[in-house]
Amino acid sequence: MHNTQGREVSVPGGQQGVQPTRVFDSFSSPKLDDRDLEILSLVTDRPSTLLSISNRTNIPFVECLFRARNLQQRGLLRKLSDTCNANGLYLYVAEERPI
């Protein structure tokens, strides 16, 4: 289906119109910023929970969660185990690899 100027087209699944393009934000950026580096520096020698990291850095918890996932996908951060600590929080540690 071709979209000519001024016409809306049907898209499979019942959606209409042009699909939005993905916008890259600081959470999905290929470059690490100061907050990413701060998170990694806190967990380099001592495993920490995301709640602890959030409290120590003044980064909102949800932002810490997104950043941790991004850092995990890049192989820079890992969850120590699939079990939680006594408070129900996972411990994270920085991977020993160059940034």
Side-chain angles (χ1 to χ4, degrees):
M1 291 176 215
H2 297 292
N3 185 8
T4 58
Q5 189 172 8
R7 296 184 78 193
E8 211 171 48
V9 295
S10 293
V11 182
Q15 298 176 350
Q16 291 186 334
V18 177
Q19 296 296 317
T21 57
R22 182 174 173 175
V23 176
F24 290 94
D25 57 21
S26 62
F27 301 128
S28 59
S29 171
K31 186 177 179 185
L32 297 178
D33 65 13
D34 291 340
R35 286 184 164 195
D36 294 324
L37 296 174
E38 188 175 12
I39 290 169
L40 290 173
S41 71
L42 286 175
V43 295
T44 296
D45 297 323
R46 179 179 28 173
S48 298
T49 65
L50 292 181
L51 183 59
S52 172
I53 293 167
S54 175
N55 289 336
R56 292 170 63 195
T57 61
N58 291 323
I59 300 172
F61 179 79
V62 172
E63 183 178 340
C64 274
L65 181 61
F66 284 116
R67 287 178 181 275
R69 287 180 182 163
N70 183 38
L71 292 168
Q72 281 182 286
Q73 289 173 347
R74 300 170 98 183
L76 299 172
L77 184 74
R78 73 179 160 91
K79 196 181 333 180
L80 282 181
S81 69
D82 288 335
T83 58
C84 301
N85 70 3
N87 296 321
L89 300 171
Y90 294 105
L91 294 172
Y92 291 82
V93 66
E95 289 288 7
E96 293 183 23
R97 57 190 312 181
I99 296 176

PDB file of all heavy atoms in Angstrom, residues 6-44:
ATOM      1  N   GLY A   6      -1.756  13.292   1.665  1.00  0.00           N
ATOM      2  CA  GLY A   6      -3.117  13.614   2.058  1.00  0.00           C
ATOM      3  C   GLY A   6      -4.030  12.418   2.224  1.00  0.00           C
ATOM      4  O   GLY A   6      -5.189  12.569   2.510  1.00  0.00           O
ATOM      5  N   ARG A   7      -3.501  11.193   2.057  1.00  0.00           N
ATOM      6  CA  ARG A   7      -4.335  10.000   2.202  1.00  0.00           C
ATOM      7  C   ARG A   7      -3.796   9.137   3.323  1.00  0.00           C
ATOM      8  O   ARG A   7      -2.602   8.962   3.477  1.00  0.00           O
ATOM      9  CB  ARG A   7      -4.348   9.200   0.910  1.00  0.00           C
ATOM     10  CG  ARG A   7      -4.980   9.980  -0.231  1.00  0.00           C
ATOM     11  CD  ARG A   7      -5.063   9.150  -1.442  1.00  0.00           C
ATOM     12  NE  ARG A   7      -6.184   8.239  -1.282  1.00  0.00           N
ATOM     13  CZ  ARG A   7      -6.396   7.206  -2.063  1.00  0.00           C
ATOM     14  NH1 ARG A   7      -5.583   6.921  -3.036  1.00  0.00           N
ATOM     15  NH2 ARG A   7      -7.429   6.418  -1.874  1.00  0.00           N
ATOM     16  N   GLU A   8      -4.706   8.579   4.079  1.00  0.00           N
ATOM     17  CA  GLU A   8      -4.344   7.673   5.150  1.00  0.00           C
ATOM     18  C   GLU A   8      -4.443   6.256   4.628  1.00  0.00           C
ATOM     19  O   GLU A   8      -5.340   5.939   3.854  1.00  0.00           O
ATOM     20  CB  GLU A   8      -5.313   7.883   6.319  1.00  0.00           C
ATOM     21  CG  GLU A   8      -4.709   7.626   7.649  1.00  0.00           C
ATOM     22  CD  GLU A   8      -5.648   8.055   8.762  1.00  0.00           C
ATOM     23  OE1 GLU A   8      -6.830   7.704   8.724  1.00  0.00           O
ATOM     24  OE2 GLU A   8      -5.177   8.731   9.686  1.00  0.00           O
ATOM     25  N   VAL A   9      -3.530   5.390   5.026  1.00  0.00           N
ATOM     26  CA  VAL A   9      -3.568   4.004   4.572  1.00  0.00           C
ATOM     27  C   VAL A   9      -3.785   3.084   5.752  1.00  0.00           C
ATOM     28  O   VAL A   9      -3.441   3.400   6.877  1.00  0.00           O
ATOM     29  CB  VAL A   9      -2.257   3.615   3.845  1.00  0.00           C
ATOM     30  CG1 VAL A   9      -2.095   4.410   2.576  1.00  0.00           C
ATOM     31  CG2 VAL A   9      -1.062   3.793   4.742  1.00  0.00           C
ATOM     32  N   SER A  10      -4.366   1.929   5.470  1.00  0.00           N
ATOM     33  CA  SER A  10      -4.554   0.925   6.512  1.00  0.00           C
ATOM     34  C   SER A  10      -3.280   0.117   6.664  1.00  0.00           C
ATOM     35  O   SER A  10      -2.609  -0.195   5.692  1.00  0.00           O
ATOM     36  CB  SER A  10      -5.700  -0.010   6.146  1.00  0.00           C
ATOM     37  OG  SER A  10      -6.906   0.699   6.157  1.00  0.00           O
ATOM     38  N   VAL A  11      -2.983  -0.212   7.892  1.00  0.00           N
ATOM     39  CA  VAL A  11      -1.812  -1.006   8.209  1.00  0.00           C
ATOM     40  C   VAL A  11      -2.311  -2.314   8.794  1.00  0.00           C
ATOM     41  O   VAL A  11      -3.307  -2.323   9.518  1.00  0.00           O
ATOM     42  CB  VAL A  11      -0.922  -0.264   9.246  1.00  0.00           C
ATOM     43  CG1 VAL A  11       0.319  -1.041   9.552  1.00  0.00           C
ATOM     44  CG2 VAL A  11      -0.589   1.130   8.746  1.00  0.00           C
ATOM     45  N   PRO A  12      -1.652  -3.451   8.497  1.00  0.00           N
ATOM     46  CA  PRO A  12      -2.102  -4.719   9.085  1.00  0.00           C
ATOM     47  C   PRO A  12      -2.290  -4.593  10.590  1.00  0.00           C
ATOM     48  O   PRO A  12      -1.503  -3.945  11.271  1.00  0.00           O
ATOM     49  CB  PRO A  12      -0.964  -5.683   8.749  1.00  0.00           C
ATOM     50  CG  PRO A  12      -0.293  -5.089   7.553  1.00  0.00           C
ATOM     51  CD  PRO A  12      -0.460  -3.607   7.684  1.00  0.00           C
ATOM     52  N   GLY A  13      -3.335  -5.201  11.093  1.00  0.00           N
ATOM     53  CA  GLY A  13      -3.621  -5.137  12.521  1.00  0.00           C
ATOM     54  C   GLY A  13      -4.659  -4.077  12.848  1.00  0.00           C
ATOM     55  O   GLY A  13      -4.939  -3.817  14.001  1.00  0.00           O
ATOM     56  N   GLY A  14      -5.188  -3.417  11.828  1.00  0.00           N
ATOM     57  CA  GLY A  14      -6.252  -2.456  12.067  1.00  0.00           C
ATOM     58  C   GLY A  14      -5.785  -1.058  12.394  1.00  0.00           C
ATOM     59  O   GLY A  14      -6.571  -0.171  12.604  1.00  0.00           O
ATOM     60  N   GLN A  15      -4.482  -0.824  12.446  1.00  0.00           N
ATOM     61  CA  GLN A  15      -3.992   0.511  12.751  1.00  0.00           C
ATOM     62  C   GLN A  15      -3.961   1.330  11.470  1.00  0.00           C
ATOM     63  O   GLN A  15      -3.770   0.806  10.385  1.00  0.00           O
ATOM     64  CB  GLN A  15      -2.602   0.437  13.358  1.00  0.00           C
ATOM     65  CG  GLN A  15      -2.561  -0.311  14.655  1.00  0.00           C
ATOM     66  CD  GLN A  15      -1.139  -0.435  15.158  1.00  0.00           C
ATOM     67  OE1 GLN A  15      -0.193  -0.131  14.473  1.00  0.00           O
ATOM     68  NE2 GLN A  15      -1.012  -0.890  16.380  1.00  0.00           N
ATOM     69  N   GLN A  16      -4.158   2.613  11.596  1.00  0.00           N
ATOM     70  CA  GLN A  16      -4.125   3.486  10.433  1.00  0.00           C
ATOM     71  C   GLN A  16      -3.060   4.539  10.616  1.00  0.00           C
ATOM     72  O   GLN A  16      -2.693   4.886  11.724  1.00  0.00           O
ATOM     73  CB  GLN A  16      -5.466   4.170  10.231  1.00  0.00           C
ATOM     74  CG  GLN A  16      -6.547   3.218   9.799  1.00  0.00           C
ATOM     75  CD  GLN A  16      -7.819   3.968   9.480  1.00  0.00           C
ATOM     76  OE1 GLN A  16      -8.046   5.039  10.003  1.00  0.00           O
ATOM     77  NE2 GLN A  16      -8.632   3.400   8.623  1.00  0.00           N
ATOM     78  N   GLY A  17      -2.587   5.056   9.497  1.00  0.00           N
ATOM     79  CA  GLY A  17      -1.648   6.162   9.552  1.00  0.00           C
ATOM     80  C   GLY A  17      -0.215   5.702   9.473  1.00  0.00           C
ATOM     81  O   GLY A  17       0.088   4.542   9.249  1.00  0.00           O
ATOM     82  N   VAL A  18       0.660   6.632   9.653  1.00  0.00           N
ATOM     83  CA  VAL A  18       2.090   6.371   9.568  1.00  0.00           C
ATOM     84  C   VAL A  18       2.599   5.942  10.933  1.00  0.00           C
ATOM     85  O   VAL A  18       2.252   6.536  11.947  1.00  0.00           O
ATOM     86  CB  VAL A  18       2.828   7.651   9.104  1.00  0.00           C
ATOM     87  CG1 VAL A  18       4.318   7.430   9.065  1.00  0.00           C
ATOM     88  CG2 VAL A  18       2.298   8.097   7.764  1.00  0.00           C
ATOM     89  N   GLN A  19       3.388   4.905  10.945  1.00  0.00           N
ATOM     90  CA  GLN A  19       3.950   4.427  12.204  1.00  0.00           C
ATOM     91  C   GLN A  19       5.041   5.392  12.669  1.00  0.00           C
ATOM     92  O   GLN A  19       5.840   5.857  11.866  1.00  0.00           O
ATOM     93  CB  GLN A  19       4.550   3.030  12.023  1.00  0.00           C
ATOM     94  CG  GLN A  19       3.518   1.990  11.673  1.00  0.00           C
ATOM     95  CD  GLN A  19       2.512   1.804  12.790  1.00  0.00           C
ATOM     96  OE1 GLN A  19       2.870   1.750  13.953  1.00  0.00           O
ATOM     97  NE2 GLN A  19       1.245   1.713  12.437  1.00  0.00           N
ATOM     98  N   PRO A  20       5.097   5.710  13.963  1.00  0.00           N
ATOM     99  CA  PRO A  20       6.122   6.633  14.452  1.00  0.00           C
ATOM    100  C   PRO A  20       7.499   5.995  14.360  1.00  0.00           C
ATOM    101  O   PRO A  20       7.648   4.783  14.489  1.00  0.00           O
ATOM    102  CB  PRO A  20       5.727   6.870  15.913  1.00  0.00           C
ATOM    103  CG  PRO A  20       4.913   5.676  16.280  1.00  0.00           C
ATOM    104  CD  PRO A  20       4.236   5.229  15.011  1.00  0.00           C
ATOM    105  N   THR A  21       8.493   6.828  14.155  1.00  0.00           N
ATOM    106  CA  THR A  21       9.861   6.330  14.169  1.00  0.00           C
ATOM    107  C   THR A  21      10.359   6.336  15.597  1.00  0.00           C
ATOM    108  O   THR A  21       9.873   7.092  16.437  1.00  0.00           O
ATOM    109  CB  THR A  21      10.786   7.214  13.308  1.00  0.00           C
ATOM    110  OG1 THR A  21      10.708   8.548  13.793  1.00  0.00           O
ATOM    111  CG2 THR A  21      10.385   7.171  11.854  1.00  0.00           C
ATOM    112  N   ARG A  22      11.322   5.493  15.870  1.00  0.00           N
ATOM    113  CA  ARG A  22      11.849   5.398  17.225  1.00  0.00           C
ATOM    114  C   ARG A  22      12.732   6.599  17.526  1.00  0.00           C
ATOM    115  O   ARG A  22      13.557   6.985  16.727  1.00  0.00           O
ATOM    116  CB  ARG A  22      12.666   4.122  17.365  1.00  0.00           C
ATOM    117  CG  ARG A  22      13.183   3.944  18.760  1.00  0.00           C
ATOM    118  CD  ARG A  22      13.853   2.633  18.929  1.00  0.00           C
ATOM    119  NE  ARG A  22      14.445   2.635  20.252  1.00  0.00           N
ATOM    120  CZ  ARG A  22      15.031   1.615  20.784  1.00  0.00           C
ATOM    121  NH1 ARG A  22      15.117   0.505  20.115  1.00  0.00           N
ATOM    122  NH2 ARG A  22      15.543   1.685  21.981  1.00  0.00           N
ATOM    123  N   VAL A  23      12.531   7.176  18.679  1.00  0.00           N
ATOM    124  CA  VAL A  23      13.340   8.298  19.119  1.00  0.00           C
ATOM    125  C   VAL A  23      14.329   7.768  20.142  1.00  0.00           C
ATOM    126  O   VAL A  23      13.948   7.116  21.101  1.00  0.00           O
ATOM    127  CB  VAL A  23      12.456   9.405  19.754  1.00  0.00           C
ATOM    128  CG1 VAL A  23      13.307  10.516  20.298  1.00  0.00           C
ATOM    129  CG2 VAL A  23      11.454   9.918  18.741  1.00  0.00           C
ATOM    130  N   PHE A  24      15.601   8.042  19.931  1.00  0.00           N
ATOM    131  CA  PHE A  24      16.615   7.585  20.872  1.00  0.00           C
ATOM    132  C   PHE A  24      16.779   8.614  21.965  1.00  0.00           C
ATOM    133  O   PHE A  24      16.948   9.794  21.709  1.00  0.00           O
ATOM    134  CB  PHE A  24      17.947   7.363  20.151  1.00  0.00           C
ATOM    135  CG  PHE A  24      17.902   6.186  19.228  1.00  0.00           C
ATOM    136  CD1 PHE A  24      17.608   6.337  17.894  1.00  0.00           C
ATOM    137  CD2 PHE A  24      18.124   4.906  19.706  1.00  0.00           C
ATOM    138  CE1 PHE A  24      17.539   5.252  17.051  1.00  0.00           C
ATOM    139  CE2 PHE A  24      18.055   3.814  18.880  1.00  0.00           C
ATOM    140  CZ  PHE A  24      17.763   3.987  17.546  1.00  0.00           C
ATOM    141  N   ASP A  25      16.707   8.160  23.194  1.00  0.00           N
ATOM    142  CA  ASP A  25      16.888   9.046  24.330  1.00  0.00           C
ATOM    143  C   ASP A  25      18.171   8.676  25.052  1.00  0.00           C
ATOM    144  O   ASP A  25      18.933   7.850  24.592  1.00  0.00           O
ATOM    145  CB  ASP A  25      15.689   8.968  25.274  1.00  0.00           C
ATOM    146  CG  ASP A  25      15.424   7.555  25.762  1.00  0.00           C
ATOM    147  OD1 ASP A  25      16.342   6.719  25.720  1.00  0.00           O
ATOM    148  OD2 ASP A  25      14.293   7.288  26.189  1.00  0.00           O
ATOM    149  N   SER A  26      18.401   9.304  26.173  1.00  0.00           N
ATOM    150  CA  SER A  26      19.650   9.058  26.896  1.00  0.00           C
ATOM    151  C   SER A  26      19.752   7.628  27.420  1.00  0.00           C
ATOM    152  O   SER A  26      20.838   7.136  27.678  1.00  0.00           O
ATOM    153  CB  SER A  26      19.780  10.034  28.070  1.00  0.00           C
ATOM    154  OG  SER A  26      18.721   9.841  28.978  1.00  0.00           O
ATOM    155  N   PHE A  27      18.611   6.914  27.550  1.00  0.00           N
ATOM    156  CA  PHE A  27      18.649   5.555  28.057  1.00  0.00           C
ATOM    157  C   PHE A  27      19.103   4.567  26.998  1.00  0.00           C
ATOM    158  O   PHE A  27      19.616   3.517  27.308  1.00  0.00           O
ATOM    159  CB  PHE A  27      17.276   5.126  28.596  1.00  0.00           C
ATOM    160  CG  PHE A  27      16.780   6.009  29.700  1.00  0.00           C
ATOM    161  CD1 PHE A  27      15.532   6.573  29.635  1.00  0.00           C
ATOM    162  CD2 PHE A  27      17.565   6.284  30.793  1.00  0.00           C
ATOM    163  CE1 PHE A  27      15.068   7.385  30.649  1.00  0.00           C
ATOM    164  CE2 PHE A  27      17.119   7.102  31.813  1.00  0.00           C
ATOM    165  CZ  PHE A  27      15.877   7.647  31.742  1.00  0.00           C
ATOM    166  N   SER A  28      18.880   4.874  25.720  1.00  0.00           N
ATOM    167  CA  SER A  28      19.245   3.942  24.669  1.00  0.00           C
ATOM    168  C   SER A  28      20.427   4.437  23.843  1.00  0.00           C
ATOM    169  O   SER A  28      20.760   3.847  22.840  1.00  0.00           O
ATOM    170  CB  SER A  28      18.046   3.686  23.760  1.00  0.00           C
ATOM    171  OG  SER A  28      17.611   4.896  23.190  1.00  0.00           O
ATOM    172  N   SER A  29      21.018   5.514  24.262  1.00  0.00           N
ATOM    173  CA  SER A  29      22.141   6.091  23.536  1.00  0.00           C
ATOM    174  C   SER A  29      23.334   5.142  23.558  1.00  0.00           C
ATOM    175  O   SER A  29      23.610   4.503  24.565  1.00  0.00           O
ATOM    176  CB  SER A  29      22.532   7.418  24.194  1.00  0.00           C
ATOM    177  OG  SER A  29      23.735   7.897  23.649  1.00  0.00           O
ATOM    178  N   PRO A  30      24.063   5.049  22.434  1.00  0.00           N
ATOM    179  CA  PRO A  30      25.220   4.162  22.412  1.00  0.00           C
ATOM    180  C   PRO A  30      26.365   4.661  23.286  1.00  0.00           C
ATOM    181  O   PRO A  30      27.225   3.899  23.674  1.00  0.00           O
ATOM    182  CB  PRO A  30      25.622   4.136  20.943  1.00  0.00           C
ATOM    183  CG  PRO A  30      25.019   5.343  20.340  1.00  0.00           C
ATOM    184  CD  PRO A  30      23.809   5.678  21.165  1.00  0.00           C
ATOM    185  N   LYS A  31      26.384   5.931  23.625  1.00  0.00           N
ATOM    186  CA  LYS A  31      27.454   6.512  24.430  1.00  0.00           C
ATOM    187  C   LYS A  31      27.049   6.555  25.904  1.00  0.00           C
ATOM    188  O   LYS A  31      25.926   6.905  26.230  1.00  0.00           O
ATOM    189  CB  LYS A  31      27.752   7.925  23.927  1.00  0.00           C
ATOM    190  CG  LYS A  31      28.927   8.572  24.579  1.00  0.00           C
ATOM    191  CD  LYS A  31      29.195   9.922  23.970  1.00  0.00           C
ATOM    192  CE  LYS A  31      30.376  10.566  24.656  1.00  0.00           C
ATOM    193  NZ  LYS A  31      30.612  11.923  24.180  1.00  0.00           N
ATOM    194  N   LEU A  32      27.963   6.187  26.778  1.00  0.00           N
ATOM    195  CA  LEU A  32      27.685   6.261  28.212  1.00  0.00           C
ATOM    196  C   LEU A  32      27.788   7.706  28.668  1.00  0.00           C
ATOM    197  O   LEU A  32      28.694   8.425  28.268  1.00  0.00           O
ATOM    198  CB  LEU A  32      28.685   5.410  28.996  1.00  0.00           C
ATOM    199  CG  LEU A  32      28.673   3.915  28.722  1.00  0.00           C
ATOM    200  CD1 LEU A  32      29.748   3.233  29.553  1.00  0.00           C
ATOM    201  CD2 LEU A  32      27.327   3.312  28.998  1.00  0.00           C
ATOM    202  N   ASP A  33      26.863   8.113  29.530  1.00  0.00           N
ATOM    203  CA  ASP A  33      26.945   9.465  30.066  1.00  0.00           C
ATOM    204  C   ASP A  33      27.413   9.415  31.522  1.00  0.00           C
ATOM    205  O   ASP A  33      27.731   8.352  32.052  1.00  0.00           O
ATOM    206  CB  ASP A  33      25.615  10.201  29.906  1.00  0.00           C
ATOM    207  CG  ASP A  33      24.470   9.601  30.707  1.00  0.00           C
ATOM    208  OD1 ASP A  33      24.709   8.762  31.593  1.00  0.00           O
ATOM    209  OD2 ASP A  33      23.319   9.991  30.454  1.00  0.00           O
ATOM    210  N   ASP A  34      27.457  10.574  32.154  1.00  0.00           N
ATOM    211  CA  ASP A  34      27.963  10.664  33.523  1.00  0.00           C
ATOM    212  C   ASP A  34      27.165   9.817  34.505  1.00  0.00           C
ATOM    213  O   ASP A  34      27.728   9.239  35.432  1.00  0.00           O
ATOM    214  CB  ASP A  34      27.972  12.120  34.000  1.00  0.00           C
ATOM    215  CG  ASP A  34      29.016  12.958  33.284  1.00  0.00           C
ATOM    216  OD1 ASP A  34      29.965  12.380  32.712  1.00  0.00           O
ATOM    217  OD2 ASP A  34      28.886  14.197  33.291  1.00  0.00           O
ATOM    218  N   ARG A  35      25.858   9.723  34.316  1.00  0.00           N
ATOM    219  CA  ARG A  35      25.036   8.923  35.237  1.00  0.00           C
ATOM    220  C   ARG A  35      25.331   7.434  35.091  1.00  0.00           C
ATOM    221  O   ARG A  35      25.380   6.711  36.071  1.00  0.00           O
ATOM    222  CB  ARG A  35      23.554   9.205  35.015  1.00  0.00           C
ATOM    223  CG  ARG A  35      23.159  10.558  35.576  1.00  0.00           C
ATOM    224  CD  ARG A  35      21.696  10.800  35.454  1.00  0.00           C
ATOM    225  NE  ARG A  35      21.326  11.906  36.338  1.00  0.00           N
ATOM    226  CZ  ARG A  35      20.097  12.190  36.689  1.00  0.00           C
ATOM    227  NH1 ARG A  35      19.098  11.470  36.233  1.00  0.00           N
ATOM    228  NH2 ARG A  35      19.850  13.194  37.495  1.00  0.00           N
ATOM    229  N   ASP A  36      25.523   6.967  33.837  1.00  0.00           N
ATOM    230  CA  ASP A  36      25.894   5.569  33.625  1.00  0.00           C
ATOM    231  C   ASP A  36      27.223   5.261  34.308  1.00  0.00           C
ATOM    232  O   ASP A  36      27.371   4.242  34.979  1.00  0.00           O
ATOM    233  CB  ASP A  36      26.016   5.252  32.126  1.00  0.00           C
ATOM    234  CG  ASP A  36      24.700   5.334  31.384  1.00  0.00           C
ATOM    235  OD1 ASP A  36      23.665   4.956  31.966  1.00  0.00           O
ATOM    236  OD2 ASP A  36      24.712   5.775  30.222  1.00  0.00           O
ATOM    237  N   LEU A  37      28.172   6.157  34.129  1.00  0.00           N
ATOM    238  CA  LEU A  37      29.498   5.956  34.727  1.00  0.00           C
ATOM    239  C   LEU A  37      29.428   5.994  36.251  1.00  0.00           C
ATOM    240  O   LEU A  37      30.134   5.240  36.932  1.00  0.00           O
ATOM    241  CB  LEU A  37      30.474   7.016  34.204  1.00  0.00           C
ATOM    242  CG  LEU A  37      30.751   6.945  32.704  1.00  0.00           C
ATOM    243  CD1 LEU A  37      31.609   8.131  32.263  1.00  0.00           C
ATOM    244  CD2 LEU A  37      31.407   5.631  32.331  1.00  0.00           C
ATOM    245  N   GLU A  38      28.567   6.837  36.785  1.00  0.00           N
ATOM    246  CA  GLU A  38      28.389   6.910  38.244  1.00  0.00           C
ATOM    247  C   GLU A  38      27.819   5.593  38.784  1.00  0.00           C
ATOM    248  O   GLU A  38      28.275   5.075  39.812  1.00  0.00           O
ATOM    249  CB  GLU A  38      27.471   8.081  38.585  1.00  0.00           C
ATOM    250  CG  GLU A  38      27.374   8.379  40.065  1.00  0.00           C
ATOM    251  CD  GLU A  38      26.554   9.625  40.349  1.00  0.00           C
ATOM    252  OE1 GLU A  38      25.864  10.155  39.461  1.00  0.00           O
ATOM    253  OE2 GLU A  38      26.603  10.059  41.520  1.00  0.00           O
ATOM    254  N   ILE A  39      26.852   5.042  38.084  1.00  0.00           N
ATOM    255  CA  ILE A  39      26.271   3.754  38.486  1.00  0.00           C
ATOM    256  C   ILE A  39      27.351   2.681  38.481  1.00  0.00           C
ATOM    257  O   ILE A  39      27.508   1.924  39.437  1.00  0.00           O
ATOM    258  CB  ILE A  39      25.091   3.371  37.566  1.00  0.00           C
ATOM    259  CG1 ILE A  39      23.897   4.288  37.827  1.00  0.00           C
ATOM    260  CG2 ILE A  39      24.698   1.904  37.759  1.00  0.00           C
ATOM    261  CD1 ILE A  39      22.782   4.178  36.805  1.00  0.00           C
ATOM    262  N   LEU A  40      28.108   2.618  37.395  1.00  0.00           N
ATOM    263  CA  LEU A  40      29.159   1.597  37.281  1.00  0.00           C
ATOM    264  C   LEU A  40      30.231   1.767  38.357  1.00  0.00           C
ATOM    265  O   LEU A  40      30.715   0.782  38.910  1.00  0.00           O
ATOM    266  CB  LEU A  40      29.786   1.630  35.892  1.00  0.00           C
ATOM    267  CG  LEU A  40      28.894   1.151  34.757  1.00  0.00           C
ATOM    268  CD1 LEU A  40      29.566   1.384  33.418  1.00  0.00           C
ATOM    269  CD2 LEU A  40      28.529  -0.319  34.936  1.00  0.00           C
ATOM    270  N   SER A  41      30.582   3.007  38.670  1.00  0.00           N
ATOM    271  CA  SER A  41      31.615   3.222  39.688  1.00  0.00           C
ATOM    272  C   SER A  41      31.156   2.769  41.068  1.00  0.00           C
ATOM    273  O   SER A  41      31.963   2.293  41.866  1.00  0.00           O
ATOM    274  CB  SER A  41      32.050   4.690  39.724  1.00  0.00           C
ATOM    275  OG  SER A  41      31.036   5.506  40.270  1.00  0.00           O
ATOM    276  N   LEU A  42      29.859   2.878  41.344  1.00  0.00           N
ATOM    277  CA  LEU A  42      29.342   2.458  42.652  1.00  0.00           C
ATOM    278  C   LEU A  42      29.339   0.944  42.826  1.00  0.00           C
ATOM    279  O   LEU A  42      29.413   0.450  43.943  1.00  0.00           O
ATOM    280  CB  LEU A  42      27.925   2.989  42.865  1.00  0.00           C
ATOM    281  CG  LEU A  42      27.811   4.474  43.159  1.00  0.00           C
ATOM    282  CD1 LEU A  42      26.342   4.883  43.223  1.00  0.00           C
ATOM    283  CD2 LEU A  42      28.508   4.828  44.455  1.00  0.00           C
ATOM    284  N   VAL A  43      29.229   0.210  41.730  1.00  0.00           N
ATOM    285  CA  VAL A  43      29.120  -1.248  41.838  1.00  0.00           C
ATOM    286  C   VAL A  43      30.369  -1.973  41.339  1.00  0.00           C
ATOM    287  O   VAL A  43      30.354  -3.182  41.170  1.00  0.00           O
ATOM    288  CB  VAL A  43      27.867  -1.765  41.091  1.00  0.00           C
ATOM    289  CG1 VAL A  43      26.609  -1.243  41.745  1.00  0.00           C
ATOM    290  CG2 VAL A  43      27.908  -1.430  39.624  1.00  0.00           C
ATOM    291  N   THR A  44      31.459  -1.234  41.138  1.00  0.00           N
ATOM    292  CA  THR A  44      32.683  -1.855  40.650  1.00  0.00           C
ATOM    293  C   THR A  44      33.286  -2.790  41.682  1.00  0.00           C
ATOM    294  O   THR A  44      33.621  -3.929  41.387  1.00  0.00           O
ATOM    295  CB  THR A  44      33.713  -0.779  40.241  1.00  0.00           C
ATOM    296  OG1 THR A  44      33.158  -0.050  39.148  1.00  0.00           O
ATOM    297  CG2 THR A  44      35.015  -1.408  39.818  1.00  0.00           C
TER     298      THR A  44
END
